[in-house]
Amino acid sequence: MAAKTSDDCDKGFADSYMLLKHEDARFFDLLHVLTSRNMSRRRFVESHAEGEVDESFGHRWLIFISILAQKLLQLMAKPLAFFGICVELLINLIALNGGIFYIIFNFIRGNKQLEWCNEAPFYTLGPLTTDIAPGYDHITSAIGAANIGVLGIALLCHVTSKEHLGLPNRDYVKTGVISYKIAAHVADLEKGHPHAQAWDDALSKARFEFRWMDHFALSLDPMTAMSFNDETLPSEGAKTEYQEKASTQVLIALDRHQNRDTYVVAFRGTEPFNADDWCTDIDISWYGIPGVGRMHGGFMKALGLQKNVGWPKEIERDERLPPLAYYVIRDILRKRLSENENAKFIVTGHSLGGALAILFGTVLFLHEETLLLERLEGIYTFGQPRVGDEAYAMYMKQKLKEHSVRYCRFVYCNDIVPRLPYDDKEMMFKHFGICLFFDWRYQLKVLEEEPNKNYFSLWCVIPMTMNAILELIRSFTIAYQNGPHYKEGWLLFAFRVIGVLIPGLPAHGPQDYLNSTLLGPIEKHLKAD
C-alpha cells in the first residue's frame, strides 16, 4: 500500500503502520472502501506497510465496520453516557430497596413515616443552628441536620452557602449536597447504623495503610479528594494523548503480608456506556514496533502511546494535563519498590484492562526496566482480546521466559472477546502464553488456545446455544449448590436470557470469571506450575 503523508504527527518510531481516522471519513468515502481496492486514495486511512496489508474485500469490510462504528459511537457519546447514568441509578435504587417490588412498597410506606419518627417532622428545610453566618449556611444548617437526624428525621433537604443571598450555581449545590450527606452519615453513626460504621472503618483503615485509591473510592466526593492529593500518588484517570481525555482507569492496591508486600496493578475494562472505551476496542489500527511486531493501535493509545515519539523511556510531563497511563503507573511502582526491597507486584485486568495489562509488560520489556522486571511476579488477564501479530507473540514469549514472568490468560467458556480480533489472514492477530480455559461448570483445562478461536463458526452454533441454556439454568441452582454468595440477580439473569440468542456475550461478564477463580481448581494449577 502506498504511503501517505500527514501533518498530524511523526510516526518514525514505527517501521510500519495502518491508522484509521474516523473523524476524516465521509459517507461516500466509506462506500468507496467497499468498492475500490486502492486504499491509498482514502483520506481517513494512513498507511506505511510496504504492500503487506491485504486489501481483500474481507479486510476492507473490517475497515468499513470499524470506522462506521466509531463515528456512530462518537455521535451517540453523550446520550449513551446519560443512558448509563440512568441505568446505574435504577440498579442502585433497586439494590438499596431490596428489589423492584420493594420500591413500590417503600413508597407507600413513606406515608406512614410520621408515626415512626418519634414525633419528629418527616421533612425539614434548612435547620439553621444560628443566623450569624451568612455565606456559610450550608455548615450551620448541616450541624442542625445532624442533630435532627439523630432524633429520627427521615428526610433532609440541603441548604447551599448562597441561602438568603442569591441563586446558587452547580458548584454551590454540590457543596450543599455533600454537607448534608455528611450530616446524614453522622446521624447514622450516632444511631449505630452498622453500614455507616463499616464505611467509616473501611476508609480509616485505607488511610492508615496508605491505600490511596481505596481511600478515594470510599470517600463522599472522590474527585475532590483526588484533586487535593499529592501529585506523586495514584490518580483515578490517566490521559490518552490521542483522545486527549482521561479515559484509562487503573487501581493500584497494596496487599500486606508478614514476609513481603505485593502491589496489584489492575486495569479497568471497557465501561459499558463509555463511547471512548468502545472506540478503543474496535479501532483496528496497528503499529509495527521494530524488533517487537505489530500491535493493536487502539490499545496502545489507551496505555499512553505518544503521537510523535511512540514509547520514549522518559518524558517531560505537562503539569497542566492528566498523566499518561503507562508513565504514571511506572513511576509510582519505581518509587514504591525502591523504598521496599521486599515488595513485588502483579498486573491484571479484565477485557480491555487485560489488553492494557499485557501491553504494560511489553513496554517494560521494551524499556528494559530492570528493577520492575525483577519484581514483576506475573501478568494475569481475564477475557483479554488479542493484542498483536505472530512476531509480537514470539517476542513476548522470549521476554517472559527470559525474565521468569508468569503470564496466564483466563478464558471462560464461549466468551467472545478473547476470540477477537480475528486470528486469520485479514487481521493476523495471535494469542500466546498459557490459556486457563473454564467450561460452564467452571472446570479447568490448560490449553494453548481456546476452542473455536475465532468465535464465528456454523459448526459451533448449536454447542454454544446449549451452553447458554445450561448457564441460564445454572442461574437458578448455583446459590443452592455453592452458597448464597453466588446468588445471581435479575440483571444478570436477563443478560443470560440474551445469551441464548447471542451466545458468548454474557460469558464475558466479570461474574463468571470471579466464579471461575473461586469454584475452579485454579489454586492447584498455580501451585503445581
Side-chain angles (χ1 to χ4, degrees):
M1 185 180 293
K4 291 187 68 176
T5 61
S6 173
D7 296 330
D8 290 343
C9 58
D10 174 19
K11 288 167 280 295
F13 62 87
D15 57 11
S16 59
Y17 55 84
M18 186 195 74
L19 307 181
L20 304 182
K21 299 183 287 186
H22 68 273
E23 62 276 5
D24 293 340
R26 297 179 298 188
F27 177 73
F28 288 107
D29 292 328
L30 285 175
L31 294 181
H32 290 156
V33 170
L34 299 177
T35 58
S36 173
R37 294 174 62 91
N38 189 353
M39 298 295 293
S40 63
R41 296 181 180 178
R42 306 297 159 229
R43 73 182 71 189
F44 55 87
V45 179
E46 186 177 354
S47 174
H48 177 69
E50 299 180 356
E52 296 178 6
V53 175
D54 187 354
E55 297 179 13
S56 66
F57 179 78
H59 185 244
R60 286 183 281 122
W61 171 253
L62 291 174
I63 291 175
F64 173 83
I65 293 297
S66 176
I67 292 178
L68 180 62
Q70 289 182 71
K71 290 186 77 69
L72 291 175
L73 282 166
Q74 290 301 322
L75 184 65
M76 297 296 295
K78 290 185 178 179
L80 184 64
F82 178 75
F83 178 71
I85 292 172
C86 294
V87 170
E88 291 175 0
L89 179 63
L90 176 62
I91 292 173
N92 289 329
L93 186 63
I94 292 172
L96 289 171
N97 283 273
I100 296 177
F101 297 106
Y102 280 98
I103 294 178
I104 301 173
F105 174 74
N106 289 338
F107 178 77
I108 297 172
R109 187 177 62 175
N111 293 326
K112 298 185 178 181
Q113 284 288 330
L114 281 172
E115 300 175 12
W116 303 341
C117 291
N118 298 325
E119 298 182 357
F122 172 69
Y123 169 85
T124 64
L125 175 62
L128 296 176
T129 53
T130 178
D131 277 331
I132 66 168
Y136 298 92
D137 281 354
H138 63 300
I139 297 175
T140 58
S141 65
I143 296 170
N147 282 317
I148 62 174
V150 174
L151 295 174
I153 189 68
L155 178 66
L156 297 173
C157 182
H158 82 274
V159 171
T160 72
S161 57
K162 271 206 168 184
E163 194 73 22
H164 307 123
L165 299 175
L167 295 177
N169 60 22
R170 180 178 178 178
D171 291 335
Y172 289 115
V173 171
K174 176 186 174 183
T175 304
V177 170
I178 294 296
S179 300
Y180 268 62
K181 283 188 174 183
I182 296 171
H185 182 70
V186 170
D188 287 341
L189 287 172
E190 184 64 25
K191 291 188 292 185
H193 195 296
H195 172 72
Q197 190 60 59
W199 183 6
D200 244 50
D201 293 344
L203 196 146
S204 298
K205 192 171 187 292
R207 179 183 294 165
F208 176 76
E209 296 177 352
F210 296 100
R211 291 184 284 109
W212 294 107
M213 295 305 289
D214 291 343
H215 188 179
F216 301 146
L218 289 165
S219 65
L220 275 175
D221 186 4
M223 296 308 297
T224 298
M226 289 172 62
S227 69
F228 289 170
N229 190 238
D230 187 272
E231 62 184 11
T232 62
L233 296 173
S235 60
E236 175 74 12
K239 178 185 172 229
T240 66
E241 188 175 21
Y242 282 80
Q243 293 178 344
E244 298 183 347
K245 300 175 183 176
S247 59
T248 301
Q249 299 182 56
V250 63
L251 171 71
I252 303 179
L254 174 60
D255 183 20
R256 290 188 180 275
H257 287 277
Q258 290 182 350
N259 299 326
R260 68 175 184 184
D261 298 335
T262 302
Y263 286 92
V264 180
V265 180
F267 288 92
R268 180 171 181 169
T270 303
E271 289 191 69
F273 304 103
N274 187 315
D276 292 326
D277 278 4
W278 285 108
C279 285
T280 295
D281 293 338
I282 63 178
D283 180 6
I284 60 172
S285 303
W286 54 262
Y287 292 88
I289 305 298
V292 179
R294 294 180 180 178
M295 292 180 279
H296 190 288
F299 300 153
M300 292 178 72
K301 294 171 188 177
L303 188 61
L305 179 74
Q306 296 184 79
K307 290 181 179 179
N308 295 309
V309 290
W311 293 112
K313 188 166 184 178
E314 305 296 339
I315 62 170
E316 292 184 9
R317 179 182 165 191
D318 188 342
E319 301 294 341
R320 298 169 298 177
L321 298 173
L324 295 168
Y326 166 77
Y327 294 98
V328 69
I329 299 165
R330 183 203 61 183
D331 291 345
I332 291 168
L333 291 173
R334 277 179 177 177
K335 183 176 187 295
R336 301 304 179 194
L337 296 178
S338 62
E339 293 172 347
N340 186 349
E341 62 181 13
N342 294 321
K344 302 278 188 176
F345 77 101
I346 64 173
V347 187
T348 187
H350 171 259
S351 188
L352 167 61
L356 298 181
I358 189 61
L359 274 178
F360 182 80
T362 302
V363 184
L364 290 182
F365 292 140
L366 191 63
H367 289 167
E368 298 180 349
E369 291 283 351
T370 305
L371 171 64
L372 300 189
L373 292 174
E374 288 176 352
R375 306 286 190 90
L376 176 56
E377 282 199 326
I379 301 172
Y380 305 92
T381 66
F382 300 83
Q384 171 212 315
R386 296 184 179 100
V387 171
D389 66 358
E390 187 170 6
Y392 169 73
M394 296 300 295
Y395 172 85
M396 287 301 292
K397 285 181 181 178
Q398 176 189 344
K399 291 298 182 179
L400 290 166
K401 182 178 181 180
E402 179 183 328
H403 294 278
S404 301
V405 177
R406 175 188 282 164
Y407 169 51
C408 295
R409 293 188 301 111
F410 290 71
V411 178
Y412 170 72
C413 204
N414 293 317
D415 183 358
I416 186 174
V417 173
R419 296 167 169 89
L420 298 173
Y422 295 157
D423 179 357
D424 60 13
K425 65 179 182 179
E426 269 82 29
M427 298 301 293
M428 301 177 291
F429 282 85
K430 299 286 185 182
H431 270 313
F432 58 93
I434 297 173
C435 171
L436 302 181
F437 179 80
F438 295 85
D439 62 20
W440 71 274
R441 294 170 298 178
Y442 303 122
Q443 295 301 306
L444 172 64
K445 295 180 182 178
V446 181
L447 308 172
E448 290 188 5
E449 182 79 71
E450 55 272 13
N452 185 25
K453 68 176 184 178
N454 284 333
Y455 183 78
F456 293 101
S457 170
L458 293 176
W459 300 107
C460 295
V461 171
I462 294 177
M464 287 195 299
T465 303
M466 288 300 300
N467 262 304
I469 293 172
L470 291 171
E471 289 170 347
L472 184 61
I473 296 172
R474 188 190 62 199
S475 288
F476 294 101
T477 62
I478 189 169
Y480 296 102
Q481 294 175 341
N482 300 289
H485 176 74
Y486 297 94
K487 183 180 179 181
E488 296 186 357
W490 63 272
L491 183 63
L492 182 54
F493 176 76
F495 205 36
R496 293 204 188 280
V497 172
I498 296 173
V500 176
L501 302 175
I502 312 176
L505 194 60
H508 186 58
Q511 186 64 52
D512 282 320
Y513 281 98
L514 179 62
N515 290 349
S516 296
T517 58
L518 294 175
L519 300 176
I522 182 62
E523 189 174 350
K524 292 181 180 178
H525 165 75
L526 292 178
K527 285 183 177 179
D529 183 59

